[in-house]
Amino acid sequence: MTTGFISYTHADSALKEQFVRHLAPLRREGLIDLWHDGMLRPGEHLDPAVQTALAASNVVILLVSADFIASEYCYEQEMLRAFARQRDGRARVIPIILRPCQWKGVPIGNNETLSEFLALPKDGKAVINWSDADTAFDNAAGAIREMLKADGGNSSPAFAARGRVPTAPAADPISRSVRSTNTLGIVAKPTDLDRDRFLRSGFATTAALFEQKLAELNASDPRINTDFERIDSRSFAASVYLDGKRVGQVSIWHGSDMWRNALCLSYDSATSSRNSMNDWLPLEDTQQGLAFGTSNTMSRRNADGPLDAHGAATYFWENFLDQVRSRIR
């Protein structure tokens, strides 16, 4: 069953509850299981629970209004993270326009705006501008139902951009980067554009994996807290705290002048500075295409290279966990 996360601001709580009732038939049909912060139990920590649920979801429904866009938490911690997961092929993001606002130009990362994605209800017309809210929510719920039925209850690809459904990233980025130029199977060398896109894909996959694993770690023990910070489009930081004391911190980045074609890792750092690093995975040409090379890694952990994007992300995560474990023993 598809897991859905509803992102909204409490200023729109009444409209959110009305919409949830319209999704009840989909839940009863076994098409979707919904989560929103109104389901939190007394005593639960708000942010860890929200981030755990967001990381576990494969459909994220944004209830958009001026209050939603003005909320730093809704925008930074929920919407931008949801679209980052969409770009990695881990989730669909479905904007639903509740009230009239200037939503089309709102940036969502990767030089994209909300206007590039199909919004509900029909034509992105705000719910309260319909003859009645029930009609608008029924239109939106019907579109979501059709989407879920078409997917057979498994919604992992990104939601339709301008009416098109993008394909989820291939499971093996190494083989995907191969390009034959003729019937003899001669493989063209990767271009600068190929390298840039492969590097960005590797970074996005790493960021998504760290965000998911941090949420899982956060939920595993009440003494543990985690933090994920997107510093800019080319770097993020991850931190782990035990009883409030930081026991691990790392930043992962790409795009410096010195290490232009590599994913880099720096321990005990949460800045956008890219002038030093503790480990790296440089791009490498293989017979199968582009990959992340491991012959010059600086960790004691062995890596079976070359690595695809998920392998690179896993390598960095496991090394980060080694650092955390060494500090809590």
Side-chain angles (χ1 to χ4, degrees):
M1 182 188 295
T2 295
T3 301
F5 177 96
I6 299 179
S7 175
Y8 73 104
T9 176
H10 287 186
D12 296 318
S13 292
L15 286 170
K16 182 265 294 182
E17 290 298 329
Q18 188 174 357
F19 180 55
V20 168
R21 290 192 290 271
H22 276 269
L23 294 177
L26 281 62
R27 177 175 55 82
R28 296 191 186 281
E29 291 178 53
L31 293 174
I32 192 167
D33 185 26
L34 293 169
W35 191 94
H36 53 84
D37 67 9
M39 301 169 67
L40 286 170
R41 296 186 297 271
E44 282 192 280
H45 291 286
L46 177 62
D47 185 66
V50 168
Q51 295 307 322
T52 298
L54 179 60
S57 65
N58 39 25
V59 167
V60 180
I61 300 172
L62 309 176
L63 301 186
V64 180
S65 67
D67 287 295
F68 177 87
I69 295 170
S71 167
E72 293 298 324
Y73 190 88
C74 289
Y75 179 73
E76 295 280 351
Q77 302 301 321
E78 295 183 3
M79 187 172 79
L80 291 186
R81 291 188 177 191
F83 277 109
R85 296 188 70 239
Q86 171 175 281
R87 284 190 287 273
D88 192 43
R90 296 175 182 266
R92 291 178 185 264
V93 180
I94 306 175
I96 296 180
I97 313 304
L98 295 183
R99 296 185 280 131
C101 59
Q102 297 296 313
W103 60 272
K104 292 184 178 181
V106 173
I108 57 171
N110 204 36
N111 294 319
E112 295 177 318
T113 65
L114 268 178
S115 65
E116 298 177 53
F117 293 83
L118 186 66
L120 299 174
K122 185 179 180 181
D123 298 327
K125 181 180 178 181
V127 168
I128 66 168
N129 283 352
W130 287 59
S131 57
D132 61 81
D134 280 328
T135 301
F137 282 136
D138 181 66
N139 178 273
I144 293 172
R145 184 181 187 278
E146 290 180 7
M147 177 196 76
L148 295 173
K149 293 284 284 186
D151 288 343
N154 180 20
S155 290
S156 58
F159 193 58
R162 293 197 182 278
R164 295 176 288 107
V165 180
T167 304
D172 182 4
I174 295 179
S175 61
R176 184 180 60 177
S177 67
V178 175
R179 298 186 302 166
S180 294
T181 59
N182 55 38
T183 57
L184 295 179
I186 299 173
V187 179
K189 289 187 177 181
T191 65
D192 288 340
L193 178 60
D194 294 329
R195 294 177 184 279
D196 289 346
R197 286 177 172 173
F198 188 85
L199 189 58
R200 287 199 302 267
S201 174
F203 175 76
T205 298
T206 303
L209 184 140
F210 265 72
E211 187 172 9
Q212 178 183 354
K213 294 295 186 181
L214 285 171
E216 293 172 358
L217 188 62
N218 198 101
S220 68
D221 191 312
R223 299 172 300 165
I224 295 175
N225 288 283
T226 61
D227 185 64
F228 178 91
E229 179 187 3
R230 178 76 75 155
I231 299 172
D232 55 37
S233 64
R234 296 186 176 188
S235 61
F236 70 86
S239 303
V240 176
Y241 304 83
L242 179 63
D243 295 325
K245 179 182 178 181
R246 188 169 59 241
V247 292
Q249 187 176 67
V250 68
S251 63
I252 293 177
W253 44 273
H254 72 93
S256 73
D257 291 335
M258 189 174 299
W259 300 287
R260 182 177 300 277
N261 290 318
L263 285 178
C264 298
L265 175 150
S266 299
Y267 287 119
D268 299 313
S269 173
T271 72
S272 58
S273 173
R274 302 184 179 97
N275 54 16
S276 65
M277 55 86 173
N278 299 107
D279 204 354
W280 70 326
L281 293 172
L283 290 190
E284 180 178 284
D285 292 351
T286 74
Q287 291 184 341
Q288 291 75 37
L290 287 170
F292 291 102
T294 60
S295 58
N296 295 310
T297 55
M298 303 175 185
S299 168
R300 287 179 290 180
R301 177 181 287 274
N302 292 327
D304 296 327
L307 302 174
D308 62 13
H310 187 267
T314 302
Y315 170 79
F316 278 149
W317 172 253
E318 290 177 348
N319 276 283
F320 178 49
L321 277 188
D322 287 345
Q323 184 209 43
V324 174
R325 292 189 186 105
S326 70
R327 294 182 176 183
I328 61 177
R329 287 172 181 164

